[in-house]
Amino acid sequence: MEKILVVNFGGQYAHLIARRVRDAGVYAEITTPENAVEKAREGEVKAVILSGGPSSVYESPSPDVPMEIFELGKPVLGICYGHQLIAKKMGGRVARGKGEYGRTLVKVVARDPLLEGWGDEEVVWMSHGDYVEEPPPGFEILAVSENGYIAAMRKGHIYGVQFHPEVNHTAKGALLLENFARRIARVKESWRPEDHIARIVEEIRERVKEGHVIVAVSGGVDSTVTAVLVHKAVGGRAKAVFIDHGLFREGEPEQAVALLRSIGIDVIYVDAKERFLEKLEGVADCEEKRRIVGETFAQIFTEVVTGIRDARYLAQGTLYPDVVESGAVKGADKIKSHHNVAGLPPWFKLELVEPLREFYKDEVRKIAKALGLPDEVVYRQPFPGPGLAVRVVGPFTREKLAIVRKATKIVEEELSKAGVLRKVWQAFAVVGDDKWVGVKGDRRAEGYVVTVRIVESEDAMTADWSRVPYEVLERISSRITSEIPEVTMVTYAITSKPPSTIEPC
């Protein structure tokens, strides 16, 4: 299949590039700088994109690619760090500037197929300190920023852009990437994730030729799709296990198990609530909470498999945002551990099977629809593996767990009534140690502060806070303070990702 190769220099946005290219119906594959030339030589690769990254081209060492990648005759597009790397390698000059961050206006000064459909001025998303002070010999400047920096340049089949076309904040960024894939690389073949179900099933079958596969399920779309795919591949050798860690939303375990059984997946239910809660009691550090949950999951799975003859594998619904945030991608910073990626202890013996590891949430939903899963599974909101434990900030207590569970139910109920719940990416409540003096029943009361978090996103790599109508927020606040005696104040989180993450810890 024709494809675009994305060279990952370690930026948190790197895989968004591949995702945007896929949105244009063109298959994109990720590779490392070390393997870039070898992969780029493949006949199916029609073009190469060099991603952004946290490094400076003047750091030692810093990510690099051989000059050969520019000499293959295939179109190359450098983004941010990739743009600066092109400039440095080809005789331009990169310098440290005042930096550009966030929405920035750029002016198109030369027309080019890359910018087909762009106006004379467009808003883009910048995130850089270094900039190309002088382009390499023979390069034409296509666009400049409001600060006078080179925003886009070209020489022959080689392009560079200083901004990030892969993020939603660049208004016509998706169009630029589509122009590069279709007009410049001339990729004709179309790619849809749901078309690859048969390939995924065959890959699982090849990987798991003997022995049983334990499938960790939670009722969410990722683990449910994983369970269905594994069952298609190995049939009765797939054993689904639902571990109730006591950190789910209200009524969720019962609903999840019933739903899985209704679509033909037999589930082994394990009640481990007390085991998890006892270990978490009093723990304040976020990473320690994640470690405890991950290790306890592993211990219980290990115990479960002792009763299943020849169990060799553990299948999980790991997605790429989990992988990149856990620092599993070379050059990427570790933001937080995910129990299904970096939280498993070194003694864990089952071999991991992660058929959705390179997919994003919206792509998994397309696969789920193609598999015929019900909408209540397809559109179920993402839920962290450590559950409500990561929405209790500070020392973990059962009181705070009960508060966040009740408050989250209220948030979901009110958004559902308003017809908003399915339109947002995630909506939940968070509670910490902060207290606020209030008045309840004409008496002074001191209670917890609950923060409501509602965000909109496509893939969890970036997210924006949702502009929920004030009257909906008012109903949420009123219900939380009246129905949960321990709460006297409700706040609303309006910070996007980045700089924040979606979950509090």
Side-chain angles (χ1 to χ4, degrees), residues 108-427:
V108 176
V109 297
R111 286 296 162 187
D112 187 272
L114 184 71
L115 303 176
E116 185 71 32
W118 280 47
D120 293 337
E121 292 184 338
E122 295 286 353
V123 174
V124 302
W125 184 264
M126 294 282 194
S127 184
H128 68 99
D130 292 353
Y131 74 103
V132 177
E133 185 177 43
E134 183 178 317
F139 272 74
E140 178 185 14
I141 297 174
L142 304 179
V144 295
S145 75
E146 58 192 67
N147 297 303
Y149 293 161
I150 297 170
M153 63 182 186
R154 173 198 181 180
K155 180 181 179 182
H157 63 281
I158 302 172
Y159 289 84
V161 295
Q162 182 60 76
F163 52 89
H164 287 272
E166 70 273 21
V167 302
N168 288 330
H169 307 301
T170 297
K172 293 184 178 177
L175 177 59
L176 182 149
L177 291 172
E178 184 175 359
N179 287 339
F180 181 72
R182 297 296 189 187
R183 294 176 179 272
I184 296 168
R186 300 191 180 281
V187 177
K188 297 181 177 62
E189 291 188 50
S190 294
W191 180 85
R192 303 189 314 157
E194 56 268 41
D195 291 339
H196 293 263
I197 292 173
R199 175 184 61 81
I200 297 169
V201 170
E202 185 55 36
E203 287 177 354
I204 297 171
R205 190 174 291 130
E206 281 295 311
R207 172 91 178 276
V208 186
K209 291 184 176 179
E210 55 185 13
H212 284 96
V213 185
I214 308 301
V215 187
V217 294
S218 65
V221 64
D222 307 330
S223 65
T224 303
V225 168
T226 298
V228 173
L229 293 173
V230 172
H231 188 267
K232 280 180 172 289
V234 302
R237 291 194 288 128
K239 300 294 182 183
V241 177
F242 183 100
I243 296 178
D244 186 352
H245 51 19
L247 302 166
F248 286 104
R249 290 167 286 196
E250 191 169 314
E252 198 162 30
E254 297 82 5
Q255 295 168 6
V257 171
L259 184 60
L260 287 164
R261 287 173 176 164
S262 74
I263 58 178
I265 298 176
D266 189 25
V267 184
I268 300 171
Y269 173 82
V270 180
D271 185 348
K273 292 191 285 290
E274 283 303 313
R275 191 161 166 182
F276 279 90
L277 299 185
E278 286 178 4
K279 290 185 177 183
L280 287 168
E281 191 74 40
V283 176
D285 182 73
C286 291
E287 283 296 294
E288 180 64 9
K289 291 176 186 175
R290 290 175 177 274
R291 187 198 65 78
I292 288 171
V293 171
E295 185 169 86
T296 307
F297 262 114
Q299 290 170 347
I300 295 172
F301 273 117
T302 300
E303 293 165 9
V304 169
V305 301
T306 59
I308 301 175
R309 183 178 58 83
D310 202 23
R312 300 186 182 184
Y313 304 90
L314 172 63
Q316 299 184 134
T318 307
L319 303 189
Y320 198 78
D322 301 335
V323 176
V324 74
E325 287 195 343
S326 295
V329 174
K330 185 175 182 179
D333 189 37
K334 177 180 177 180
I335 296 173
K336 55 189 175 184
S337 297
H338 290 258
H339 82 277
N340 55 346
V341 180
L344 293 176
W347 53 259
F348 189 67
K349 299 303 181 184
L350 292 182
E351 185 177 337
L352 287 179
V353 176
E354 298 170 316
L356 304 177
R357 187 180 176 90
E358 294 298 329
F359 288 93
Y360 296 89
K361 181 73 72 174
D362 61 318
E363 294 180 318
V364 174
R365 285 183 171 137
K366 291 177 181 177
I367 294 172
K369 291 288 283 185
L371 289 170
L373 297 180
D375 283 355
E376 57 188 300
V377 172
V378 175
Y379 298 108
R380 186 180 178 209
Q381 286 194 0
F383 190 65
L388 298 177
V390 296
R391 295 175 183 174
V392 172
V393 180
F396 180 91
T397 68
R398 297 182 190 227
E399 179 188 38
K400 289 197 285 186
L401 173 63
I403 290 171
V404 79
R405 180 176 284 128
K406 291 176 185 176
T408 294
K409 182 182 181 183
I410 291 170
V411 171
E412 292 184 346
E413 285 178 347
E414 290 302 322
L415 291 182
S416 181
K417 289 177 186 176
V420 176
L421 188 59
R422 189 173 288 188
K423 298 177 182 178
V424 301
W425 180 261
Q426 272 178 282

Side-chain angles (χ1 to χ4, degrees), residues 435-504:
K435 297 290 185 74
W436 197 283
V437 174
V439 179
K440 289 192 173 185
D442 294 327
R443 293 185 177 182
R444 183 184 188 276
E446 184 176 313
Y448 286 98
V449 177
V450 164
T451 297
V452 174
R453 179 75 157 146
I454 307 172
V455 299
E456 298 174 3
S457 181
E458 293 182 357
D459 42 45
M461 296 300 289
T462 61
D464 198 9
W465 63 280
S466 181
R467 276 66 170 172
V468 176
Y470 290 152
E471 58 269 22
V472 177
L473 293 176
E474 184 179 18
R475 287 197 297 271
I476 290 172
S477 175
S478 178
R479 283 193 60 190
I480 289 175
T481 53
S482 63
E483 295 177 27
I484 307 177
E486 299 87 352
V487 178
T488 53
M489 169 62 71
V490 175
T491 63
Y492 188 52
I494 59 168
T495 305
S496 298
K497 175 187 179 179
S500 172
T501 53
I502 295 176
E503 298 285 351

